[in-house]
Amino acid sequence: MPSRTRSAKLASSTLKCSLDASRSATIDAKTSAPPSKRQKLNKSSVHKATKNVNTAGSSGQTQLLPPTLSFSLPDAIAHLSRVDPRFSLFFTHLPCRPFVHLEAIDPFRTLVTSIIGQQVSWLAARAINNRFRALYGFEPESKDGFPTPELVEKEDVAKLKSVGLSTRKAEYVISLAQHFTSGQLSTELLHHGTDEEISKALIAVRGIGQWTVDMFLMFSLRRPDVLAVGDLGVQKGLLRWALAAHDALPRKVTVTPKKGKGKGKEVKREGEGELDTIVRQTTPDKVGRETFPPTPSTPNTSQAHQAALHTPDDSASAITQVPPTPNSPLPDEVAQIPNGTLPPPAPETMLAPAIDNPDWNPYTAVPLPEGLTLEVLRARLAGKKVKGGMYLTPKEMEDLTAGWRPYRSLGVFYMWPAAEEA
């Protein structure tokens, strides 16, 4: 599969979902923490969280976030499919893996790995991560085991630099460990805190930005209502999603040479003649060819910077893995997620208006806010982006997805495949 520009051309914090310790964890939405648990934490709960973290550290084990959901997945699917019937097709043929295949998460390991991956290639990040683990006695060849915050906070910067971390990254990692041991970050907060509380606590850690927080909330904490407004892949996907709903998505032009000399070329626009209506669940890899990690990107408030979602190296040898292509810029933020998490590009037929559905109404599915016309959206897709290099502003994204609440995370998940042409 070729490298995929997930506009957020999704590529430097590496949020590796640390699923190593619990690969066999099963899912049961009925065991999810009740919504009443997700409330603002008081001082006693923070004290309890601190006590839990310290106990975990003294025993040499890290507390994992359980493989559960805090909401009803069937209700979320029904809600989004009601708002926009096209979602029903996506849920059927492209499973929403972060919310279907649940595994326990080591939050400290996930966030440390994200920091290690900043501004280095993913192969270099993996090597540094292995040396970091080896520093605390864990076998590099094994994925099991990771140092606790209590061990890391006592480390000095020079020792961490010896495994390949820069001075700044070493300081970030130590600072992150201190946030865990102090109780500012804890499994209690990450499991039961509100999205706002968690975001505030994570942003307070040096080396963690808002895009990283959004990816962590979605892929690690499985929060249902996250709108990643800073991700260019999500922006472009939502832009194409809106245009397609109103049957205004520009048709692709393909040029096919005619047989014989001097016959010229035959031009065919997509939408003319028969369409391939077969929806495939997966995109088969070519035999003997490794897949490229997807590469999304994220704009800053002042200028665009790169961010990425990519899959971990699960092979026995790093040599068989294909590094990012030369035109894939080095990342500033990276979220590393399990293989197969992101779906393949969506066929145009899946984005098309659901005219066969009796409840279909493009202005209900994708209501256009005042001033955001189809002509403006087409111009944005053609390259006339708004200030900062964005396809859509945060306010426009809020307006376009208002009907998705309180399950915007699931809708956002499908904007990545919608952003790419199949």
Side-chain angles (χ1 to χ4, degrees):
M1 187 185 301
S3 80
R4 300 160 56 179
T5 56
R6 293 213 179 257
S7 1
K9 274 179 185 175
L10 293 165
S12 156
S13 301
T14 298
L15 283 177
K16 180 175 181 243
C17 291
S18 307
L19 311 168
D20 321 312
S22 314
R23 289 282 179 190
S24 62
T26 58
I27 66 171
D28 184 359
K30 294 182 179 179
T31 62
S32 304
S36 59
K37 284 268 188 176
R38 294 186 49 189
Q39 55 191 350
K40 287 188 177 295
L41 301 177
N42 54 33
K43 292 183 179 179
S44 62
S45 63
V46 172
H47 174 73
K48 178 182 177 183
T50 306
K51 181 179 179 182
N52 288 342
V53 171
N54 289 336
T55 301
S58 61
S59 63
Q61 298 177 347
T62 302
Q63 286 189 321
L64 301 179
L65 296 173
T68 58
L69 292 178
S70 59
F71 65 99
S72 167
L73 184 58
D75 286 352
I77 291 174
H79 173 80
L80 290 173
S81 299
R82 215 167 26 245
V83 172
D84 191 329
R86 292 178 297 170
F87 275 121
S88 179
L89 194 62
F90 275 76
F91 283 119
T92 300
H93 296 285
L94 300 175
C96 199
R97 287 185 62 89
F99 304 97
V100 173
H101 300 277
L102 309 184
E103 295 180 280
I105 296 296
D106 178 346
F108 179 64
R109 180 173 186 166
T110 296
L111 293 168
V112 168
T113 308
S114 74
I115 292 173
I116 288 176
Q118 293 175 5
Q119 299 178 336
V120 297
S121 71
W122 60 281
L123 286 175
R126 188 193 59 179
I128 296 171
N129 189 57
N130 285 341
R131 291 198 294 268
F132 175 78
R133 292 174 57 249
L135 187 63
Y136 297 93
F138 297 103
E139 290 292 331
E141 294 77 14
S142 171
K143 295 180 181 179
D144 296 330
F146 201 79
T148 62
E150 287 71 23
L151 289 173
V152 177
E153 76 159 342
K154 299 173 184 176
E155 202 61 81
D156 56 64
V157 171
K159 194 70 172 289
L160 294 183
K161 287 179 64 178
S162 70
V163 301
L165 289 170
S166 66
T167 300
R168 182 171 295 179
K169 284 188 187 179
E171 292 172 348
Y172 289 169
V173 169
I174 293 172
S175 174
L176 175 64
Q178 291 170 343
H179 276 72
F180 271 93
T181 58
S182 69
Q184 293 170 276
L185 283 173
S186 66
T187 51
E188 178 75 12
L189 169 65
L190 297 176
H191 189 40
H192 298 305
T194 65
D195 292 355
E196 293 72 21
E197 288 172 328
I198 294 169
S199 296
K200 184 178 179 180
L202 288 173
I203 289 294
V205 179
R206 294 174 60 200
I208 295 180
Q210 186 59 53
W211 183 85
T212 300
V213 172
D214 289 341
M215 298 303 107
F216 183 73
L217 286 169
M218 284 184 58
F219 290 99
S220 296
L221 303 187
R222 297 175 286 269
R223 292 304 176 92
D225 197 34
V226 178
L227 180 63
V229 297
D231 188 284
L232 287 178
V234 175
Q235 292 173 21
K236 184 180 179 183
L238 183 55
L239 178 58
R240 298 185 78 238
W241 181 268
L243 284 169
H246 295 271
D247 200 23
L249 189 64
R251 303 289 192 240
K252 290 184 295 185
V253 177
T254 56
V255 179
T256 306
K258 288 185 177 181
K259 294 182 179 179
K261 294 183 179 179
K263 297 292 184 179
K265 296 181 179 180
E266 183 177 330
V267 178
K268 181 177 180 179
R269 288 176 175 79
E270 186 176 312
E272 298 176 354
E274 290 189 11
L275 287 177
D276 179 5
T277 56
I278 300 175
V279 179
R280 298 169 178 80
Q281 287 185 309
T282 58
T283 301
D285 294 329
K286 294 183 179 180
V287 177
R289 181 177 298 182
E290 296 297 327
T291 60
F292 286 89
T295 51
S297 60
T298 309
N300 203 345
T301 52
S302 57
Q303 60 181 4
H305 73 277
Q306 298 302 315
L309 291 179
H310 67 67
T311 52
D313 175 13
D314 287 336
S315 66
S317 171
I319 298 177
T320 60
Q321 291 296 310
V322 182
T325 53
N327 62 355
S328 298
L330 287 177
D332 291 325
E333 291 189 273
V334 173
Q336 190 162 329
I337 58 177
N339 278 321
T341 297
L342 291 174
E348 297 286 333
T349 50
M350 293 179 69
L351 298 176
I355 55 177
D356 293 335
N357 189 299
D359 298 323
W360 171 252
N361 183 335
Y363 291 95
T364 299
V366 186
L368 298 179
E370 186 177 354
L372 194 63
T373 65
L374 293 176
E375 290 72 23
V376 170
L377 291 176
R378 288 174 70 109
R380 298 269 186 88
L381 188 61
K384 285 191 174 182
K385 300 179 185 177
V386 295
K387 186 177 180 180
M390 297 183 292
Y391 289 98
L392 295 166
T393 68
K395 177 62 167 58
E396 290 168 345
M397 295 180 73
E398 291 279 354
D399 291 340
L400 290 171
T401 61
W404 300 1
R405 289 178 178 272
Y407 304 112
R408 291 179 297 178
S409 294
L410 283 76
V412 163
F413 177 79
Y414 289 116
M415 294 307 101
W416 279 304
E420 302 180 81
E421 298 182 4

